[in-house]
């Protein structure tokens, strides 16, 4: 890459070189302005270990955001270059590793800095294009338990006439929303819904003949799953009517829990994006939306008792309390969901028979909350030193402070009032070593409870939260670290995320397990090793075949599996188009494993269905990562 900077932007050239056993990142800044720069600092987001070297000093690091400056004093004259050096580990390997949202501060002034050149290798392979694949005879994802095709089709007019049961009305309303058609109700229509109380929850039956269509289910969720299959099957003909193949389907899910998590803290995703996501989830029969609402980088949920959480914690920028992170830049950036927004999302989820699970991530990943309410959540005498995996040294709630419990009880009371579902996710992941060890308040708590190590305090805090939620009819959900220390009641649901060993070990410890190991369930991972392929790769890469062929529950799993979940972490997901690219087609594998008894057993058929659906989605403006002939 070698281009010119935009007007009024300074230019930055990046190169990597080996210096002994170290990788040196050289940042060559050119002053393209018409004035000298003195006492300046370069700001950039680089979410990996880095340390200043040689003529460079690090002024600060908060999360991904680095502020560096030259050690030598004196102005940088117009047209002059200044090289800054960072030692990094590991080396940059792909375009999405490059520093983002760079800018320079000069007194009170801010100048954007544009990366105009780098020496990362370019990919030699072409960008993927959709492999031509005919639609399988039964193209539905996830594949139905029983699907019997017969000759003929049923023509479905634009003004469809339905004989509807009350339980089916939301499903049929959503069906027409997805098809862009209108529904009419009639006592004589040839589209019928019928209640069959012998069918299990979410089970449905569809019978299509050349004369009409009948859907049977025992309750609303079953009709919604049937509607999803019909949306996938219906195709327009030349006159604008829809036609369905004649067939009989009898279908039900393998697991009751089939989830998708979206991180809205690292980057804010508007309500319209969430509503589209719910449509996609319902289309592929996913039924739990795990909404990651808080983290170090932002707090996204309006809490009426603590307006500071969103007044301060929902925004990042050079002049905000929270600095830029993950490419958000020096301008004010962010957003939050008002309680009215949440009700819109909940209503849409209910229409699609999707349960919404809010996540309030504690005790780690709490920097946005702590910075918003320092008088309540900080202990000035705490001299503990730690660094989280995302490079924060002040992001953990203090279990020894009374303010922590007041904060959590107040927030969770509003959460329970706002979200009607029975599940509340409390995070509990990635609490760094060293935390709480030099906190006077924590020392007193440990003495009182006879705890032998500081990390016992995580279980203490989570047990308080579990009891609080239980008293309100809610079940605590946590990442696998929530089970460490055995302080939670075993009714807590645990999302096992680090790998198959964690899935097996969590079940062996007696906890119900939602399987979401990073190697197949983290859809923010890169597809492959191409430098141009976006995504993280700390847990390797994951293409569609890897996601489909890796069973979510290992052979040594003991216990009753709750279900499966795919996770979309948003460090690199700053737009709906990027969500679509990372989500599709890999979420099809999650849908298959959650629903179908024979998931993972027929790669050829699954790939053909996935290729068909990528084209189907693209025709409707949803653009996933297309499959090449090599995929």
């Amino acid at each position: 890459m070698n281009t010119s900077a935009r007007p009024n932007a300074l230019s930055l050239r990046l190169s990597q070189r080996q210096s002994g056993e170290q990788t040196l990142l050289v940042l060559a800044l050119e002053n393209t302005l018409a004035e000298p720069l003195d006492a300046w600092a370069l700001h950039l987001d680089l979410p990996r270990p880095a340390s200043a070297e040689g003529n460079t000093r690090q002024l600060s690091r908060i999360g991904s955001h680095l502020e560096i400056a030259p050690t030598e004093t004196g102005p940088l004259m117009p047209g002059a270059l200044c090289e800054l050096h960072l030692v990094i580990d590991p080396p940059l390997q792909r375009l999405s590793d490059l520093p983002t949202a760079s800018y320079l501060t000069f007194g009170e002034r801010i100048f954007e800095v544009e990366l105009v050149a780098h020496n990362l290798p370019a990919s030699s392979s072409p960008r993927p294009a959709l492999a031509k694949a005919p639609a399988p005879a039964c193209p539905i994802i996830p594949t139905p338990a029983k699907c019997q095709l017969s000759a003929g089709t049923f023509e479905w007019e634009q003004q469809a006439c339905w004989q509807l049961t009350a339980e089916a009305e939301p499903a049929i309303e959503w069906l027409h929303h997805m098809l862009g058609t209108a529904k009419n109700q009639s006592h004589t229509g040839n589209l019928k819904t019928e209640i069959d109380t012998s069918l299990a929850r979410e089970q449905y039956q569809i019978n299509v003949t050349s004369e009409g269509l009948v859907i049977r289910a025992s309750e609303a969720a079953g009709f919604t799953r049937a509607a999803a299959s019909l949306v996938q099957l219906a195709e327009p003909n030349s006159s604008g009517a829809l036609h369905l193949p004649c067939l009989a389907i009898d279908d039900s899910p393998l697991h009751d829990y089939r989830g998708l998590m979206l991180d809205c803290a690292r980057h804010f995703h508007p309500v319209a994006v969430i509503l589209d996501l719910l449509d996609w989830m319902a289309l592929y029969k996913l039924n739990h939306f795990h909404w990651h609402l808080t983290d170090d980088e932002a707090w996204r949920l309006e809490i009426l008792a603590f307006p500071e959480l969103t007044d301060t914690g929902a925004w990042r920028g050079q002049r905000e309390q929270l600095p830029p992170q993950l490419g958000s830049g020096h301008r004010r950036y962010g957003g939050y969901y008002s309680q009215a927004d949440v009700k819109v999302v909940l209503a849409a989820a209910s229409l699609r028979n999707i349960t919404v699970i809010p996540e309030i991530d504690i005790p780690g990943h709490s920097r946005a909350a702590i910075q918003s309410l320092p008088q309540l959540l900080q202990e000035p005498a705490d001299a503990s030193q730690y660094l989280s995996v995302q490079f924060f040294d002040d992001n953990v709630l203090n279990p020894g402070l009374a303010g922590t419990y007041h904060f959590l009880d107040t927030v969770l009371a509003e959460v329970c009032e706002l979200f009607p579902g029975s599940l509340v996710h409390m995070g509990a992941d990635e609490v760094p070593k060293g935390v709480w060890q030099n906190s006077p308040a924590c020392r007193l708590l440990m003495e009182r409870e006879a705890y032998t190590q500081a990390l016992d305090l995580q279980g203490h805090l989570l047990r308080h939260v579990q009891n609080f939620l239980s008293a309100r009819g809610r079940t605590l959900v946590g990442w696998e670290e929530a089970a460490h220390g055995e302080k939670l009641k075993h009714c807590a649901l645990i999302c096992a995320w680090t790998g198959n060993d964690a899935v097996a070990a969590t079940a062996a410890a007696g906890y119900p397990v939602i399987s979401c190991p990073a190697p197949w369930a983290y859809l923010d991972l890169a597809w492959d090793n191409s430098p141009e392929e976006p995504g993280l790769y700390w847990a390797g890469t994951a293409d569609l075949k890897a996601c489909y062929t890796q069973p979510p529950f290992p052979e040594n799993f003991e216990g009753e599996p709750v279900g499966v979940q795919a996770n979309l972490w948003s460090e690199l997901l700053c737009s709906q188009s990027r969500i679509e690219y990372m989500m599709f087609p890999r979420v099809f594998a999650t849908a298959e494993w959650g629903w179908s008894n024979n998931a993972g057993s027929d790669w050829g058929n699954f790939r053909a269905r996935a290729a068909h659906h990528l084209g189907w989605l693209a025709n409707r403006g949803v653009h996933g990562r297309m499959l090449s002939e090599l995929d």
Side-chain angles (χ1 to χ4, degrees), residues 11 14 47 59 82 101 113 117 190 195 262 277 307 343 384 388 390 412 438 444 463 467 534 559 610:
S11 68
L14 177 150
L59 303 180
C82 179
V113 174
N190 55 0
I195 293 290
L262 180 65
L277 190 79
K343 290 173 183 177
S384 304
S388 77
Q390 288 86 15
L412 292 176
N438 290 305
L444 288 174
R463 186 172 58 202
N467 291 337

Side-chain angles (χ1 to χ4, degrees), residues 11 36 38 46 87 97 104 141 164 169 196 327 330 425 429 433 444 471 481 498 500 513 579 600-601:
S11 68
D38 201 3
L46 185 67
V87 174
D97 290 342
L104 184 139
I141 294 177
L164 285 179
E169 287 187 23
D196 184 342
H330 65 88
H425 203 296
D429 59 320
K433 292 181 179 179
L444 288 174
E481 294 94 325
T498 57
N500 280 345
V513 178
I579 290 173
S601 63

Side-chain angles (χ1 to χ4, degrees), residues 55-209:
N55 69 334
T56 304
R57 57 197 173 103
Q58 180 176 306
L59 303 180
S60 69
R61 170 153 209 167
I62 301 175
S64 71
H65 191 72
L66 274 168
E67 182 182 2
I68 57 178
T71 55
E72 299 176 0
T73 59
L76 182 63
M77 303 305 291
L81 286 173
C82 179
E83 281 194 356
L84 300 173
H85 295 173
L86 295 172
V87 174
I88 59 170
D89 181 31
L92 307 184
Q93 299 179 36
R94 55 185 70 231
L95 298 184
S96 56
D97 290 342
L98 290 168
T100 53
S102 302
Y103 62 93
L104 184 139
T105 52
F106 172 38
E108 293 298 314
R109 301 163 69 189
I110 298 174
F111 298 98
E112 292 190 2
V113 174
E114 184 169 1
L115 181 64
V116 298
H118 64 77
N119 68 343
L120 263 67
S123 174
S124 59
S125 59
R127 300 301 294 155
L130 180 65
K132 300 298 182 183
C138 184
I140 297 171
I141 294 177
T143 188
K146 297 178 182 178
C147 180
Q148 182 66 49
L149 291 159
S150 54
T153 60
F154 168 62
E155 297 298 321
W156 181 340
E157 298 300 327
Q158 285 283 321
Q159 295 293 324
C161 291
W162 285 92
Q163 297 183 55
L164 285 179
T165 59
E167 294 85 349
E169 287 187 23
I172 303 308
E173 180 181 339
W174 176 75
L175 169 72
H176 284 278
H177 158 75
M178 293 296 289
L179 293 175
T181 56
K183 76 174 174 68
N184 293 319
Q185 289 189 230
S186 167
H187 294 296
T188 58
N190 55 0
L191 298 153
K192 301 178 183 179
T193 62
E194 298 177 353
I195 293 290
D196 184 342
T197 57
S198 69
L199 300 180
R201 187 178 188 279
E202 292 195 288
Q203 184 178 4
Y204 68 92
Q205 295 174 344
I206 296 175
N207 189 39
V208 182
T209 69

